[in-house]
Every structure is written in C-alpha cells, then in structure tokens.
C-alpha cells in the first residue's frame, strides 16, 4: 500500500514537472535568442514584447505578425517576444525583460490588474513602458503611452450603421462573445442601449456562443426551429457570424444585401470581408490589430527626446458595408 | 406475481435504464413545454437541396461527434479505470493534420488545388491521432500513470501542437465537396455526421460481436492481476483502448473541420472531453473501470445533446448550460453511490414485502 502511494506520488510529480516544462517552454518562449544581450546589440533599440497567445484568434495572429514585421533588426530593433494568456506568466516575463535591461517594454496584458509593482520596477530601471491593444488598471505615470481599440465605439459604429438601414422592425439575434471580455462588453453595450431605447428594436434571443462558430450555429438553429421571426444577426465576431450563416443556409433562409436577414460580424478577417464582397454578409466591424506603426512612431519620438503627443491613442477603426466594400479594402484591411 | 416483480426490478437494475429514463424525462418536458419541438420538416436549403430539418435532426447532427467519442471513451474507461481528458485537444490536432495535408503550404486553396484526396488526408489524420492515442496509452499502460494525469499533458500542449502543424495559419478550404462530411451529401436528406456516427457504431458492434475485445477489456478493467493469470496482456489491452479512442478522435476531427471548412485551434471541440466522460457516466458505466454497456454510452451522448438543444430552445442562457450538466452529474453520482443504492433497494424490498404480506392476509 505504502509503496503504491509513493509510486503514485512520484508519477504525479514526474508528470507535473513534465507539464511545467511544457507549459513554460510553450508560453514564454523567447525569440531573438543570442542577440538578446543589450551590450552586443550596439545601436539597436532593444524591446521586450509581451503579448497574448498567437493562436488565440485570427486577430491575435495578425497582431503578432504585425509586431514581428515592424520590430525587426532591419528597422533598428532588437526584439524579444513572450506569449501567454495568463497574467502571472506575463508578469514573470515582464520582470525578466526588466532585469535584461531592455529599453522598451511593450505590453498587451491578459488581465487589467496586478501590474503596479512590476511597472514600478521598470520605471526605476529606466525601462519605458508602452501599452498596446489592451489597457490596464495602473497609474498612467507608470507608462508612456497606450494604443488601444475602443470596443464600445466599435459597437456604436455597428449599431449606427444598422439603424441607418431603415428597417421597419429590427428583430435581432444577438450572439455574444465570452462574457466579460472587453470585446463582448463593448460590442454588446451599444446594441443593448439601442434595443432598450427604440420601440421597434427587439432582441429575439441573446446568447453567448463564446466565440465558437458551432455554438452560434446551434443557437440560431434553435431560434429557427422555435419559429421566431428575425431579420438581423448581430454576431460579435466573424467566426460566430459564420456559424450563424451556416444555420441560415441549412434552413434555406436568404441572407446578405437585399435579402431576408442582415448578417453582421466583427474583426475583419479576410475571408469575412470576402463574404461581404460576395454580398452574403452585410457588415463587418474592424478591430484594428495593426498597432505597431503607432508604437514605432512613439518610440521614435521618445528617442528624439519628445514625449508622445497623446497619452492614449485610440486607433482608427472602420466598419465595412457590403454595398460599398472594394477588393482593395479586402486586401488592405483583411487580417 | 413473482415473475412480474422480478422483471420490474430487472428493468431498474438494467444499466441502460438510466439514459432511457433521462431521455424520457427530456421528451416529456419538451412535450409539455412545446410539442412543436418534435416537428420535422422536409425542406429546401440554400444549396437547393431537400433536407430533413428540425430539432431532432439537429440533435442527431450535432450529437454525432460526441457519440463517436463516447465509444472510444467507454473503451478507455472500462480498460484503464480512468478517463482521457485530451480528446478535445486531440481533435484539434487531427483536424489540423487534415487541413495541412489537404492544403500543403497554400492556406487558401481554390477548388481543384488540393494537394491530395480527402481519403488520404483522413487516413493520415487517423495515423496521427492513433499515435497520440498510443502516447497516452503508453503512459497509462506501461508507466502506470493515472490516466487523467497522463492525458493532462496532451490536454495542455495539444492545441499548441495543432497550431504548430499549420504554422499558426488558419487554412480555409473552398472546395464545396469538403463540406459533405459535416453537412449534406447531394441527394441525401440526412446530415452526414449522423451517417458517419452510425457507421462507427456499426463497426464497433461488429468488433464487439466477432472478437473477444469487449470481454478482454472488461476482464482487465475488473481485475488486472487475475486477467494476467488467465493469459491476457493487460498492458496491451489498455494500450489498444487508447489507440481505438484515437481513431474515434480522427473521425470526430474530420466532422468538426468539415462543418466550417476551417479550424480555430483554441475553440474547436472545446470542453468536449467533459461531455464525452459525462456520456459514459450517464450510460451507467462505472468510471472506475470494468463492465461497460456500449449502447448506454452512445445513448448517453445523445441525451446530452438533447439536453443542450432543449435548453437552447427554452432560451436558457447558454453560459448557464454547464450548471445544468452539473445537476445531471450530481444526480448520477448520488444515485450510483452504494449507500444510496442499498437504501433504495431496501425501501423497495420493504414496500413490496408489505404488499405481499397484505395479499397473504
């Protein structure tokens, strides 16, 4: 019995060390390897970039690629990357970058809380911090600038567009993202406010599909089977809009420009914009993943001794309408 | 009198009673709330094809991956006395392999630009999924690691591996015929996933009928030592059960990627492992291994999908779904606990004893 217990404990310990090994190597792998030492980098500007997992979504993949393309040696940067969806792992990576003595720390935080102490360390060490993509709950004096998306504005742009369609009645199937995420809150807020304010807007169903296309398909199919009538699908990302459209297709319900159901998505994936171009969908709201040029400009300013013009930069974000979108838009804004 | 009483308790004792009772309960609830839930129509879809449409069809359609996984999970549970929690991540890997083999380095192939046939891609995915199953099986059978701990490795790393297979790209297949596996084959009004599930179910039952696999797995699950003394190789049997689950994963992966013609590594088949385990439990199978009833597990899978669709059609908030499933788990655990079972059979005996006593008097 005792031996069994010991062997069980040992095997658990073995497996968990394996796991820890896998976990940390997968999540905080650093690129840039040998060139990392600041002394060797000469006049290169060294930056430590902390981001979320590139596989999180098409948005994140585009975001990571954009950063990698900008912060490369050809552009005068020596960049190290750390990826994690977990806040504590991100903080650990930040501490490592501060100890390495990077010039700039670029941060897209997984969670808004818990960053104060490491950012104070960074300040004492003379590391300048720039936030991108997501903002955090910390004193603004702890970072130089933040470049963020205004999710609430994305929602408002979309709802304003929808209101401009001049339907007699808006019966909306509202498919939400993971509850509590910034994107969900911003994009839901605008629609909720509008539906509460207008008499001819009503929400047929409001469900979270957790960014999952298949769940969205099942939710929409259930609404169809229940016999409820609807004429708008407001999905908070492209994947879920795709799932919803699959449900419409199976039921033989027409969708798109001048058809029975208006389909709206977010994120501007390239394939989604192509659906707009083919007039199968009606609207796609942009969530701009291309922050690197803004960051680059700010770093150039700081290097020249100028402080950035604005502390918080809210990026331009468009909303595309299927009746006006062009192939150029697909090429330029598709991610 | 005696025979009818016996058959009555036999029904209660029968393992398949649990999922059938759950199914009947759901059917009754739906009949009361809205009888039109069961309406099936024969109508045109957007491709101009006549298909069967309705909630029941949707249950068969979306429950099929779960039913296929429940088969493999039943084997693993019975043989090893533990569960594989990496099936969701393994589906991501299998799906990623299918897309990679079909697309090569071109992530957006036009129709006719595919590198190979669907069959080849599927077979490669079968091999890869079986290999990952073999990896889990090796840890469990040879190194004697607790199955849940052993599969935790792939559970954590699997989705990253899936993304790595395709270089973090999200390939999209525009060839319409790829959609057949997760949608409808032309001129067939039944969703293909349901057909694939039936095929897998038939193959499984043939396997159980014409080989001793079922017996061997149960023997190993009940008592490893005595099965070894009887000339079985427990290590090989456990290993085999994980490989079989791997093959089930490959089929489920094919259906999943075909449904949307693309993949999203972090959300594909998310949390499906818990549903698969729940299906096995709902089938009344002992999660500690040993005897199993395959029909009950498969039925359990469809009951879970039935529950999901019922809740959707009642507009229950979908983030509350896990809470309802938790209620099912609690009921299952309570009713399968030995103390509760003893108490129930005792009260049942008392009741019937009183009745017979009255009759005698």
């Amino acid at each position: 019995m005792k031996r069994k217990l010991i062997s069980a404990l040992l095997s658990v310990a073995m497996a968990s060390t394996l796991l820890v090994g896998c976990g940390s190597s997968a999540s905080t792998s650093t690129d840039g390897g040998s060139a990392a030492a600041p002394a060797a980098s000469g006049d290169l500007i060294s930056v430590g970039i902390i981001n979320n997992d590139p596989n999180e979504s098409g948005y994140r993949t585009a975001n990571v690629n954009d950063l990698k393309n900008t912060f490369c040696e050809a552009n005068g940067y020596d960049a190290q990357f750390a990826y994690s969806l977990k806040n504590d792992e991100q903080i650990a990576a930040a501490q490592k970058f501060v100890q390495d003595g990077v010039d700039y720390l670029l941060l897209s935080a997984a969670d808004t809380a818990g960053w104060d102490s490491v950012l104070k360390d960074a300040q004492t060490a003379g590391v300048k911090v720039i936030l991108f993509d997501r903002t955090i709950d910390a004193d603004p004096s702890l970072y130089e600038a933040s470049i963020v998306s205004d999710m609430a504005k994305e929602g408002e742009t979309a709802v304003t567009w929808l209101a401009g369609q001049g339907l007699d009645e808006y019966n909306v199937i509202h498919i939400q993202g993971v509850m509590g995420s910034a994107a969900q809150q911003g994009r839901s807020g605008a629609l909720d406010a509008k539906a509460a304010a207008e008499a001819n807007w009503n929400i047929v169903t409001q469900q979270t599909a957790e960014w999952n296309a298949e769940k969205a398909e099942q939710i929409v199919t259930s609404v169809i089977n229940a016999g409820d009538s609807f004429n708008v699908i407001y999905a908070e990302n492209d994947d879920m809009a795709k799932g919803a459209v699959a449900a419409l297709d199976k039921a033989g319900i027409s969708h798109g420009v001048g058809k029975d159901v208006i389909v709206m998505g977010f994120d501007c994936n390239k394939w989604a914009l192509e659906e707009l171009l083919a007039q199968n969908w009606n609207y796609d709201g942009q969530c701009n993943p291309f922050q690197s040029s803004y960051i680059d400009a700010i770093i150039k300013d700081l290097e020249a001794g100028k402080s950035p013009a604005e502390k918080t930069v809210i990026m331009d974000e468009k909303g595309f309408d299927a009746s006006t979108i062009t192939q150029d838009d697909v090429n330029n804004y598709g991610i | 009198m005696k025979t009818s009483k016996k058959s009555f308790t036999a029904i209660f004792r029968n393992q398949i009673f649990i999922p059938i009772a759950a199914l009947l309960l759901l059917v009754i609830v739906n009949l009361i709330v809205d009888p039109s839930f069961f309406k099936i129509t024969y109508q045109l879809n957007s491709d101009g094809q006549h298909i069967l449409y309705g909630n029941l069809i949707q249950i068969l359609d979306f429950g099929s991956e779960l039913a296929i996984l429940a088969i493999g999970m039943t084997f693993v549970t019975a043989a090893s006395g533990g569960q594989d929690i990496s099936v969701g991540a393994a589906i991501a890997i299998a799906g990623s392999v299918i897309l990679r083999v079909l697309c090569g380095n071109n992530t957006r192939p036009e129709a006719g630009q595919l590198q190979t046939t669907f069959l080849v891609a599927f077979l490669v995915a079968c091999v890869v999924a079986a290999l990952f199953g073999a990896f889990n099986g090796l840890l469990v059978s040879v190194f004697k690691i607790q199955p849940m701990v052993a599969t935790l490795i792939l559970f954590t790393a699997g989705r990253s591996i899936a993304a790595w297979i395709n270089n973090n790209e999200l390939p999209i297949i525009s060839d319409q015929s790829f959609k057949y596996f997760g949608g409808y084959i032309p001129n067939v009004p039944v969703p293909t996933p349901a057909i694939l599930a039936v095929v897998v179910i038939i193959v499984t039952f043939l396997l159980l009928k014409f080989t001793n696999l079922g017996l061997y797995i149960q023997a190993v699950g009940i008592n490893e030592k005595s099965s070894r003394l009887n000339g079985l190789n427990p290590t090989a049997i456990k290993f085999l059960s994980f490989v079989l689950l791997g093959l089930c994963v490959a089929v489920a992966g094919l259906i999943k990627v075909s449904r949307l013609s693309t993949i999203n590594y972090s959300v594909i088949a998310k949390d499906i492992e818990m549903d698969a385990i729940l299906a096995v439990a709902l089938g009344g199978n002992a999660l500690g291994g040993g005897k199993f009833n395959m029909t009950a597990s498969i039925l359990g899978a469809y009951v879970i999908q039935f529950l999901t669709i019922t809740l959707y059609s009642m507009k229950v908030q979908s983030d509350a779904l896990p809470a309802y499933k938790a209620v099912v788990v609690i009921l299952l655990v309570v009713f399968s606990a030995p103390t509760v079972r003893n108490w129930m059979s005792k009260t049942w005996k008392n009741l019937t004893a009183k009745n017979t006593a009255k009759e005698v008097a």
Side-chain angles (χ1 to χ4, degrees):
Chain A
M1 189 64 216
K2 212 177 200 178
R3 198 190 287 170
K4 243 187 192 171
L5 192 74
I6 290 172
S7 69
L9 278 175
L10 269 178
S11 56
V12 169
M14 246 163 59
S16 54
T17 45
L18 250 176
L19 276 181
V20 170
C22 291
S24 55
S25 65
S27 52
T28 53
S29 61
T30 51
D31 292 13
S34 58
S41 59
D43 52 354
L44 292 179
I45 302 169
S46 70
V47 290
I49 301 176
I50 297 171
N51 206 338
N52 295 280
D53 184 355
N55 308 323
E56 181 199 48
S57 57
Y59 170 87
R60 191 62 59 192
T61 314
N63 180 245
V64 167
N65 288 339
D66 176 50
L67 290 165
K68 273 191 176 159
N69 290 337
T70 302
F71 297 101
C72 57
E73 247 173 87
N75 290 346
Y77 290 103
D78 169 29
Q80 301 181 69
F81 297 86
Y83 301 111
S84 176
L85 286 170
K86 294 194 184 100
N87 212 38
D88 50 341
E89 285 178 7
Q90 285 194 335
I91 290 174
Q95 273 157 348
K96 185 184 159 290
F97 284 146
V98 171
Q99 280 162 13
D100 286 354
V102 293
D103 298 327
Y104 293 91
L105 186 65
L106 313 184
L107 174 64
S108 167
D111 200 335
T112 52
W115 286 94
D116 290 274
S117 73
V118 67
L119 292 194
K120 271 177 195 146
D121 289 350
Q123 203 166 38
T124 18
V127 176
K128 298 196 174 81
V129 178
I130 298 172
L131 309 181
F132 66 94
D133 175 32
R134 298 181 181 189
T135 182
I136 56 172
D137 290 334
D139 193 78
S141 66
L142 291 173
Y143 52 84
E144 302 296 322
S146 71
I147 297 116
V148 289
S149 295
D150 187 343
M151 305 285 188
K153 202 174 135 202
E154 287 172 18
E156 275 159 29
T157 314
V159 170
T160 312
W161 175 88
L162 184 56
Q165 298 306 298
L167 304 180
D168 297 334
E169 207 174 24
Y170 290 89
N171 295 315
V172 186
I173 296 183
H174 182 189
I175 303 170
Q176 298 169 295
V178 169
M179 299 304 283
S181 63
Q184 180 270 321
Q185 287 179 329
R187 292 166 191 177
S188 290
L191 182 62
D192 282 345
K194 188 76 177 173
E198 304 281 338
N200 62 340
W201 285 57
N202 65 72
I203 309 268
V204 178
T205 193
Q206 184 175 50
Q207 289 276 28
T208 171
E210 295 169 334
W211 311 127
N212 188 330
E214 246 179 76
K215 274 191 188 164
E217 184 177 349
Q218 297 193 34
I219 289 166
V220 174
T221 307
S222 297
V223 176
I224 296 170
N225 280 327
D228 299 337
S229 69
F230 58 92
N231 56 2
V232 178
I233 285 180
Y234 184 94
E236 289 178 359
N237 81 353
D238 288 338
D239 280 358
M240 297 192 296
K242 186 177 193 174
V245 165
L248 297 180
D249 281 339
K250 276 188 192 167
I253 297 171
S254 69
H255 52 85
V257 180
K259 301 283 176 58
D260 291 345
V261 176
I262 290 177
V263 178
M264 301 173 72
F266 285 94
D267 285 355
C268 287
N269 285 291
K270 201 165 206 160
W271 54 264
L273 292 181
E274 282 165 0
E275 293 285 348
L276 256 70
L277 202 59
Q279 316 241 305
N280 292 329
W281 296 16
N282 302 67
Y283 175 90
D284 205 22
Q286 194 189 13
C287 187
N288 193 343
F290 305 121
Q291 294 114 354
S292 71
S293 57
Y294 294 84
I295 303 172
D296 185 42
I298 287 171
I299 290 181
K300 294 267 155 68
D301 275 358
L302 287 167
E303 288 294 307
K306 286 189 287 186
S307 57
E310 288 167 313
K311 189 104 187 173
T312 304
V313 182
I314 292 175
M315 287 184 301
D316 276 346
E317 289 181 328
K318 296 172 182 293
F320 292 99
D321 184 326
S323 50
T324 55
I325 193 169
T326 62
Q327 183 66 46
D328 285 343
D329 289 335
V330 178
N331 296 342
N332 293 338
Y333 297 100
I335 59 174
Chain B
M1 184 71 211
K2 219 175 189 181
T3 48
S4 75
K5 209 200 286 175
K6 231 183 195 172
S7 61
F8 210 62
T9 39
I11 291 173
F12 278 114
R13 287 266 173 80
N14 198 328
Q15 209 183 328
I16 206 160
F17 170 73
I18 302 175
I20 288 181
L23 193 61
L24 281 178
L25 191 70
L26 282 168
V27 168
I28 291 166
V29 167
N30 274 305
L31 274 176
I32 294 168
V33 174
D34 180 15
S36 73
F37 182 88
F38 297 99
K39 196 178 69 187
I40 293 178
T41 54
Y42 187 62
Q43 61 181 59
L44 273 175
N45 70 2
S46 290
D47 297 332
Q49 185 190 343
H50 280 283
I51 58 164
L52 291 169
Y53 198 83
N55 280 319
L56 293 179
I57 304 295
Q58 202 194 352
I59 291 165
L60 284 181
D61 186 352
F62 284 96
S64 32
E65 290 104 311
L66 197 54
I68 292 168
L69 287 179
I71 291 172
M73 192 65 85
T74 307
F75 283 136
V76 164
T77 302
S80 71
Q83 285 74 38
D84 183 340
I85 59 168
S86 70
V87 286
I91 284 177
I93 294 173
S96 190
V97 166
I98 290 175
L99 293 179
R100 175 76 195 200
V101 172
L102 283 177
C103 298
N105 289 322
N106 177 6
T107 55
R108 297 291 302 273
E110 297 298 319
Q113 283 187 344
L114 296 178
Q115 300 290 323
T116 174
T117 61
F118 300 139
L119 182 68
V120 172
F122 173 63
L123 289 179
V124 174
C126 281
V127 171
V128 173
L131 279 176
F132 277 102
F135 170 74
N136 284 333
L138 190 77
L139 292 178
V140 171
S141 62
V142 178
F143 296 101
K144 314 268 183 237
I145 299 173
Q146 245 270 312
M148 227 175 248
V149 177
T151 53
L152 192 58
I153 297 170
L154 204 54
F155 172 82
T156 332
R159 290 177 190 277
S160 298
I161 296 173
W164 168 77
I165 289 171
N166 267 308
N167 297 325
N168 290 329
E169 302 279 349
L170 305 169
I172 299 173
I173 293 180
S174 42
D175 192 334
Q176 287 301 313
S177 52
F178 185 63
K179 285 212 171 109
Y180 292 168
F181 304 104
Y184 292 83
I185 300 170
N187 301 321
V188 179
V190 182
T192 319
I195 299 173
L196 287 173
V198 169
V199 171
V200 175
I201 290 168
I202 290 174
V203 169
T204 309
F205 279 99
L206 290 180
L207 195 68
L208 289 175
K209 190 164 168 57
F210 291 107
T211 69
N212 290 327
L213 185 72
L215 182 69
Y216 290 171
I217 285 179
Q218 301 196 29
V220 169
I222 292 166
N223 191 330
E224 207 180 319
K225 239 179 220 165
S226 67
S227 64
R228 189 186 293 118
L229 291 176
N230 280 297
L232 291 180
N233 182 348
T235 314
I237 301 275
K238 279 188 196 173
F239 183 80
L240 185 64
S241 71
F242 276 92
V243 174
L244 285 175
L245 176 58
L247 293 176
C248 293
V249 160
V251 180
L254 173 70
I255 296 173
K256 283 268 186 235
V257 288
S258 165
R259 279 189 195 282
L260 297 158
S261 293
T262 183
I263 191 168
N264 183 325
Y265 306 110
S266 58
V267 298
I268 186 175
K270 198 159 174 260
D271 299 335
I272 205 169
E273 49 276 345
M274 294 308 150
D275 280 349
I277 296 167
L278 183 55
V280 176
L282 201 55
N285 297 295
L287 292 184
K291 290 192 84 167
F292 67 86
N293 184 332
M294 195 50 88
T295 319
S297 288
I298 295 165
L299 210 52
Y302 286 112
V303 167
I304 292 170
Q305 191 60 34
F306 206 128
L307 176 69
T308 310
I309 300 291
T310 302
L311 294 173
Y312 277 144
S313 64
M314 289 179 188
K315 303 218 168 103
V316 173
Q317 276 300 313
S318 55
D319 48 351
L321 275 179
Y324 287 89
K325 285 181 188 161
V327 172
V328 176
V329 175
I330 292 169
L331 290 177
L332 276 176
V333 171
V334 168
F335 281 111
S336 58
T339 47
V340 178
R341 283 214 157 175
N342 281 340
W343 178 81
M344 282 206 309
S345 62
K346 237 185 218 167
T347 42
W348 178 251
K349 243 183 214 163
N350 283 343
L351 269 174
T352 48
K354 259 179 207 164
N355 281 343
T356 41
K358 260 182 202 165
E359 258 165 46
V360 170

